Amino acid sequence: MLNPMTRVAGVGLLASAIVPAVIADQASDLFDGLHVHAISINFDDADWYNTLYDAWGNDDFYLPCTFTWTEPGGDDVVMENVGGRFKGNSSFIHSGTRKSMKIDFNEYLDDQEFLGMKKINLNNNFRDPSLMREKLFLDFLQGRLDIHRATFAHVTINGEDWGLHTLCEQVDKTFVEKHWGSNDDGNLYKGEYAANLAYQGEDPEDYRDNYEKKTNEEEDNWTDIIELCQFLDETSASDMDELLPGYLDVDQHIAVLAASALFSSYDSYVGPAHNFYLYHRSQDNLWRHVNWDNNMAFGNFRNVLPDGTDPITVPLDWHRQGGGPNAARPFADAIFDNDVLYRRYLRAISKMLRSGFDTVSFDSHIADLDLVIREYVNADPYYEFAFDDYVQSLDVDVDIGPFNSIGLRRFVEDRSDYVREQLNAAALPSDIRLNEVQSNNQSTLADEAGEYDPWVEISNLGPGAVALETIYISNDLGNLGAWQLPPDSFSDGEFRVLWLDGEPGQGAAHAPFALGIDGGTLYVSTNDGGMQIIDQVVVPALGADESWGRRGDGEGDWENTGAATPGTPNMPAPPPLSDLVVINELMADNQSTFVDEAGEFDDWIEIYNIGSEAADLSGCTMSDGLDTPDEWRIPAGTIVPAGAYLIIWADEDLDQGPLHADFKLSGQGDELGLWTSEGELIDSITFGDQSEDVSFGRLPNGGPDWQYLQIPTPTTSNVADPTQVPELYINEVMASNLETIADEAGEYDDWVEVYNPGPVDVDMGGLFMTDDMDDPGAWLVPDGVIVPAQGFLLIWADNDPEQGNNHGTFQLSGSGETVGLFALDGVTIIDTIDFPALDTDTAYGRIEDGGAAWDVLPATPGSSNQGDAELCPADLDLDGYIGVNDILACISGWGTPSGDADGDNDTDVNDILIIISLFGTNCP
């Protein structure tokens, strides 16, 4: 057992603070900036290449090596006992001598990491004469969605030059924790071949060939991905916009599909249905789609396209048209076959197109990369092409055998032009939205005449340009065509200010009607077979220079936004606090674990920001009663950064600091709530009896489930206690002890006998025992309660813990109930027994110590239950006489262990024969 003083020493130096939950990005020096890093790999096996070549296909095989990274500053980071293997499929089979490699830093040493990463990939850039495709693709998507990173590395192996590789971050548990929360313990799957997420029934065996489980492998629970496949199979396309957000981070999924389409990157889910990961985040129960393996981007993968198809002119709705092998892709169909989601997909592409997918941006980035890698490509002994091919590939097409690899700059220029045509063709007048209004403009924005008049801002949601003359604005429902906007092209993503001043003579952007300071209703319409309202807003009376705008530009709710933003995007609405913060951990009996500023060990509460932006808790309230939400108010200026923690001291010592609450927690159980300043509940927890220096927290960190934590973690991520499940058995119970056995105080109390069949003593300290399975932490067994090897220990169920360490805080009911023994986490069951109503001084125990069968039997507290049974196994009714009742007991237990007389744990003819042979005799 963990020594409590060790626990105090490990945590007691912590102070009340806000500490980031996420691990610092140690790999920033590797991936930030433009570098070619020096990587050296040394295998003890001189024949390493043939060894790895022969082992290809066995992903569990790694060859030990020493890995050295030379930092940009010149210092070497040397790591021994690292694993290396060849990886890839086509890039292995069809490439030349150089193969891609996976490097595993903790293959031989648990928890060994390189810059916070457990694995990296050294890719050979198969069929990419530019060697840039993967790097360009991943760089473009950084900040747009959760995706891995890439850089370049010059690799030497056993002293030999192996040329230029792309070094890619691995999507694994470390990647998951970085992006979606420390200790988020969801399932990560990799899509292998034909991993199209089609529903194949409820048997996990039908999914193993298509998906590889990358986390929680031992648990081997595939329920979640099967449920996702079933949902995709059974949900109609028309309902997806309403129901899919309950299963999936839709924005991330759309972004992955949009990027694949924009970059003509079809070696992905929408192609052979592979090269992707799916992560089921436990904290919000939503799936994340993560792209993988992008060296074939920029149109270099043609296998799924009809013969002769130009990757540059593949339509954005090609998948929707059901062409080629893409016909059965339910994960993509969920977006493409729903008109609302498909429009969001087109808008995502239009946003990418206007925010970086253009010739100017890529010209610059390609030139920067070329400056860094050109000399390495020229000197590369294993480069797949000629150096002239590299130079040519940056601009125009290169013949690489099976087809022409499209030049990078040509691809961006031609693809962006083609996609723009597609998006403009999909544009509709209904894409136009009212976005912001100022009816009392005193000094915010002057028009061409220098006047501060009321104005309205319109925005184009996209995906393409809309002819402005198809739009009408009015403040009169009876005259929707009051003002037809002037002829012009209104681009997607554009914001435009129009003056509602009743002075059309001042210019084309001035309405023939005015909006008064008391507000009114504005309508946007289009004349499509009759005037149709597109959008409308009721503008309230506003103070001077106040703005009435949407949070979320074009689609969010309207509110008084304060400062106006004419002609530019509005400030996004912060997510609700209930999406940002949770009560994450608490301690209601802090004796020696965590000290406050005054040096006192008081109750404490940990609040954790699970979101991606800071949470302002100013004015929020907390209470230890859910019916009294305003018991204590959190001070103004209390900010919890994203991924950080805040400690509140529940000590009724307000004078000790701003984060000391005006209430205490009860160790006998309590309620705890957190509310917004408006009284809306953010989070709450109701908890039972607490034990000294044991905290109660969410596991996984920030997740929905709570557990006892023997090792409290204030201001840091909650971590499950080491799961220690000793082999112990509840062996015998007595719920009405009048004269059978007395405890140390001479009292005849209820008792529970625990049996240890093992060869060494077991200290039960830190385990939990209860007579209420809804409250597994009813009694924390103190340290030093020893069950001897192959021996027995009595636990007194008398609710008199002051009488000794083996006296529990619960009592048994003679009418029958359940007794449970739990591991350190308060969740894992070691043993449990349901016993029936019992007479006075009657025991209920295992017929055989530690065995499966239970029965009423003569009490044997602290000793073996089978002492007499071994001498008289045929006495099934335990009355000391072999007779008719024993035969009846044998027959009633036929085929089960309960009528067993010959010790083979089964009741059959042999047991009847034994009873007959002893019939009419007394037990010794």
Side-chain angles (χ1 to χ4, degrees):
M1 279 301 301
L2 181 68
N3 186 313
M5 294 308 295
T6 302
R7 190 162 64 238
V8 172
V11 188
L13 295 178
L14 293 170
S16 177
I18 296 174
V19 180
V22 293
I23 300 172
D25 184 13
Q26 303 173 49
S28 60
D29 287 344
L30 185 70
F31 292 109
D32 289 355
L34 297 178
H35 302 283
V36 175
H37 294 273
I39 300 291
S40 173
I41 299 171
N42 285 280
F43 294 99
D44 289 337
D45 183 352
D47 195 30
W48 65 270
Y49 187 91
N50 289 325
T51 300
L52 294 182
Y53 192 97
D54 293 341
W56 173 76
N58 179 3
D59 290 351
D60 294 327
F61 179 86
Y62 284 87
L63 195 61
C65 64
T66 298
F67 175 92
T68 303
W69 169 56
T70 302
E71 295 179 290
D75 294 333
D76 285 346
V77 175
V78 181
M79 304 183 69
E80 299 179 345
N81 297 307
V82 173
R85 66 171 174 85
F86 286 153
K87 63 178 285 286
N89 291 296
S90 296
S91 64
F92 179 90
I93 297 170
H94 301 297
S95 64
T97 302
R98 178 167 56 206
K99 309 298 181 182
S100 297
M101 297 185 69
K102 189 176 295 290
I103 306 298
D104 189 336
F105 299 99
N106 72 338
E107 172 66 16
Y108 302 108
L109 294 177
D110 289 344
D111 298 324
Q112 178 171 246
E113 294 181 344
F114 169 57
L115 302 178
M117 299 178 292
K118 294 184 177 178
K119 293 179 182 178
I120 60 170
N121 301 274
L122 297 172
N123 294 337
N124 65 357
N125 296 296
F126 171 60
R127 281 190 179 171
D128 178 13
S130 75
L131 304 184
M132 294 183 188
R133 277 173 160 77
E134 185 146 39
K135 170 72 172 167
L136 288 169
F137 183 88
L138 294 177
D139 284 358
F140 179 85
L141 292 179
Q142 296 304 316
R144 289 179 167 88
L145 71 163
D146 294 308
I147 199 163
H148 50 293
R149 296 169 291 181
T151 187
F152 290 108
H154 176 244
V155 179
T156 60
I157 304 179
N158 284 17
E160 181 184 349
D161 183 0
W162 278 82
L164 192 67
H165 294 66
T166 299
L167 188 159
C168 280
E169 190 176 12
Q170 178 66 39
V171 176
D172 57 8
K173 179 69 172 176
T174 305
F175 175 90
V176 162
E177 291 185 346
K178 173 190 164 194
H179 287 276
W180 297 304
S182 177
N183 290 308
D184 194 273
D185 197 28
N187 288 331
L188 177 69
Y189 300 88
K190 184 182 181 185
E192 297 292 349
Y193 285 97
N196 62 0
L197 293 174
Y199 181 57
Q200 303 175 65
E202 298 182 2
D203 189 349
E205 297 302 321
D206 295 328
Y207 297 82
R208 295 186 193 276
D209 289 342
N210 307 110
Y211 312 89
E212 182 180 358
K213 204 165 192 284
K214 293 291 188 177
T215 60
N216 305 316
E217 298 98 318
E218 292 183 3
E219 182 181 337
D220 199 37
N221 188 337
W222 292 63
T223 303
D224 56 354
I225 195 168
I226 294 173
E227 288 179 349
L228 175 63
C229 294
Q230 185 174 14
F231 165 78
L232 295 172
D233 179 70
E234 297 179 354
T235 305
S236 67
S238 60
D239 292 334
M240 280 296 179
D241 57 305
E242 294 291 335
L243 299 180
L244 191 60
Y247 284 81
L248 173 70
D249 183 332
V250 176
D251 288 338
Q252 168 97 2
H253 182 45
I254 286 177
V256 171
L257 295 177
S260 296
L262 186 57
F263 283 82
S264 297
S265 183
Y266 301 119
D267 191 17
S268 59
Y269 174 79
V270 294
H274 71 166
N275 283 341
F276 69 95
Y277 286 87
L278 278 177
Y279 180 66
H280 190 197
R281 190 185 183 203
S282 59
Q283 290 186 14
D284 59 14
N285 200 31
L286 296 180
W287 289 92
R288 265 71 175 180
H289 179 185
V290 183
N291 188 284
W292 181 250
D293 196 1
N294 304 287
N295 63 297
M296 294 292 191
F298 295 84
N300 252 18
F301 187 83
R302 317 283 175 85
N303 297 16
V304 295
L305 300 176
D307 290 343
T309 300
D310 184 352
I312 288 177
T313 57
V314 173
L316 299 177
D317 63 349
W318 169 69
H319 176 81
R320 200 179 199 187
Q321 297 171 7
N326 270 17
R329 295 291 180 269
F331 200 33
D333 294 341
I335 303 299
F336 284 84
D337 292 344
N338 179 278
D339 290 343
V340 172
L341 296 177
Y342 179 67
R343 199 139 195 90
R344 285 176 60 181
Y345 159 79
L346 293 179
R347 287 170 178 163
I349 295 175
S350 71
K351 187 174 182 179
M352 291 179 181
L353 201 62
R354 63 178 184 264
S355 62
F357 194 90
D358 58 80
T359 54
V360 173
S361 298
F362 273 93
D363 277 353
S364 174
H365 198 28
I366 291 169
D368 289 341
L369 293 178
D370 176 45
L371 188 64
V372 170
I373 72 172
R374 177 179 284 249
E375 63 180 284
Y376 290 93
V377 178
N378 193 27
D380 192 326
Y382 294 108
Y383 179 54
E384 191 177 352
F385 308 96
F387 180 67
D388 287 345
D389 292 333
Y390 163 77
V391 176
Q392 181 177 331
S393 72
L394 306 186
D395 294 295
V396 295
D397 299 3
V398 175
D399 183 358
I400 62 171
F403 51 79
N404 279 355
S405 176
I406 301 172
L408 295 179
R409 290 188 173 99
R410 183 177 91 80
F411 179 89
V412 173
E413 180 177 4
D414 292 354
R415 183 65 174 163
S416 60
D417 288 345
Y418 178 79
V419 169
R420 172 51 61 200
E421 293 176 3
Q422 294 267 299
L423 296 175
N424 286 341
L428 297 170
S430 56
D431 298 329
I432 307 304
R433 291 289 188 276
L434 296 166
N435 200 52
E436 189 176 5
V437 183
Q438 193 171 69
S439 58
N440 194 357
N441 176 19
Q442 297 295 317
S443 60
T444 299
L445 183 68
D447 63 13
E448 307 94 314
E451 299 170 351
Y452 290 92
D453 289 325
W455 52 265
V456 62
E457 176 191 81
I458 58 174
S459 65
N460 181 356
L461 296 179
V466 173
L468 208 55
E469 63 268 25
T470 63
I471 305 300
Y472 298 78
I473 295 181
S474 173
N475 65 344
D476 181 0
L477 182 61
N479 183 21
L480 294 177
W483 182 31
Q484 183 178 11
L485 298 187
D488 197 2
S489 178
F490 190 29
S491 300
D492 55 287
E494 184 180 349
F495 300 89
R496 188 167 299 191
V497 171
L498 303 171
W499 298 98
L500 304 181
D501 55 4
E503 298 178 310
Q506 290 188 351
H510 291 254
F513 59 86
L515 180 67
I517 61 174
D518 292 333
T521 303
L522 295 177
Y523 304 91
V524 177
S525 305
T526 184
N527 191 1
D528 184 11
M531 201 65 69
Q532 302 290 325
I533 295 176
I534 298 170
D535 195 16
Q536 63 185 44
V537 61
V538 177
V539 183
L542 298 170
D545 291 317
E546 289 183 341
S547 168
W548 187 247
R550 290 184 188 269
R551 291 290 192 181
D553 286 324
E555 296 180 291
D557 294 331
W558 288 87
E559 61 180 77
N560 190 325
T561 60
T565 58
T568 61
N570 297 345
M571 293 293 292
L577 287 173
S578 57
D579 289 348
L580 290 180
V581 293
V582 294
I583 300 170
N584 198 52
E585 189 178 3
L586 60 90
M587 182 175 283
D589 193 356
N590 178 20
Q591 297 297 316
S592 57
T593 297
F594 189 34
V595 66
D596 65 11
E597 309 97 313
E600 298 172 353
F601 292 95
D602 290 321
D603 301 343
W604 52 268
I605 302 155
E606 178 189 81
I607 295 173
Y608 171 45
N609 185 341
I610 63 175
S612 58
E613 57 186 88
D616 186 351
L617 298 186
S618 301
C620 293
T621 63
M622 295 194 76
S623 174
D624 64 341
L626 297 183
D627 56 349
T628 56
D630 56 352
E631 190 165 358
W632 176 70
R633 191 168 295 277
I634 298 176
T638 303
I639 308 295
V640 187
Y645 301 85
L646 177 74
I647 294 295
I648 303 294
W649 295 98
D651 57 3
E652 294 182 343
D653 286 328
L654 300 181
D655 57 338
Q656 290 186 353
L659 298 180
H660 289 253
D662 195 18
F663 60 87
K664 293 184 176 181
L665 301 179
S666 171
Q668 283 71 54
D670 212 340
E671 299 174 332
L672 180 62
L674 173 65
W675 291 265
T676 67
S677 56
E678 292 81 23
E680 297 177 359
L681 184 65
I682 298 172
D683 194 20
S684 67
I685 178 65
T686 299
F687 56 90
D689 289 345
Q690 302 295 296
S691 300
E692 180 179 318
D693 288 320
V694 175
S695 70
F696 194 50
R698 294 179 182 271
L699 274 177
N701 195 59
D705 299 324
W706 288 75
Q707 290 186 17
Y708 294 99
L709 303 177
Q710 301 284 332
I711 305 176
T713 58
T715 73
T716 60
S717 177
N718 297 349
V719 179
D721 297 322
T723 303
Q724 299 178 18
V725 186
E727 186 181 6
L728 295 175
Y729 295 93
I730 299 172
N731 205 51
E732 190 176 356
V733 297
M734 181 173 283
S736 184
N737 174 23
L738 290 185
E739 58 182 18
T740 299
I741 186 171
D743 63 13
E744 307 95 315
E747 298 171 354
Y748 290 86
D749 291 320
D750 305 343
W751 50 267
V752 178
E753 179 189 82
V754 178
Y755 169 55
N756 171 16
V760 296
D761 296 351
V762 173
D763 186 343
M764 290 181 62
L767 305 182
F768 295 91
M769 187 173 281
T770 184
D771 66 336
D772 181 0
M773 298 299 283
D774 291 331
D775 183 18
W779 179 50
L780 173 66
V781 183
D783 288 341
V785 176
I786 306 296
V787 190
Q790 298 177 342
F792 306 87
L793 172 72
L794 283 190
I795 300 296
W796 297 99
D798 56 3
N799 201 22
D800 284 327
E802 66 278 357
Q803 291 186 354
N805 282 353
N806 63 332
H807 288 253
T809 57
F810 60 93
Q811 293 177 298
L812 303 183
S813 170
S815 60
E817 58 178 343
T818 302
V819 177
L821 179 62
F822 287 80
L824 293 171
D825 58 9
V827 174
T828 304
I829 296 175
I830 297 174
D831 196 19
T832 182
I833 176 58
D834 297 312
F835 64 87
L838 296 174
D839 294 334
T840 299
D841 291 308
T842 300
Y844 189 70
R846 297 180 185 272
I847 296 173
E848 187 175 303
D849 294 329
W854 288 75
D855 207 344
V856 176
L857 43 71
T860 59
S863 62
S864 175
N865 294 354
Q866 59 213 41
D868 289 340
E870 289 177 347
L871 298 175
C872 197
D875 182 18
L876 298 177
D877 63 357
L878 303 173
D879 63 356
Y881 176 79
I882 311 299
V884 173
N885 289 336
D886 299 300
I887 292 180
L888 295 176
C890 183
I891 293 172
S892 67
W894 202 261
T896 74
S898 64
D900 181 28
D902 61 4
D904 66 355
N905 207 34
D906 187 28
T907 303
D908 53 22
V909 173
N910 292 330
D911 301 296
I912 290 286
L913 294 176
I914 288 176
I915 295 172
I916 292 174
S917 69
L918 298 173
F919 197 83
T921 64
N922 293 318
C923 289

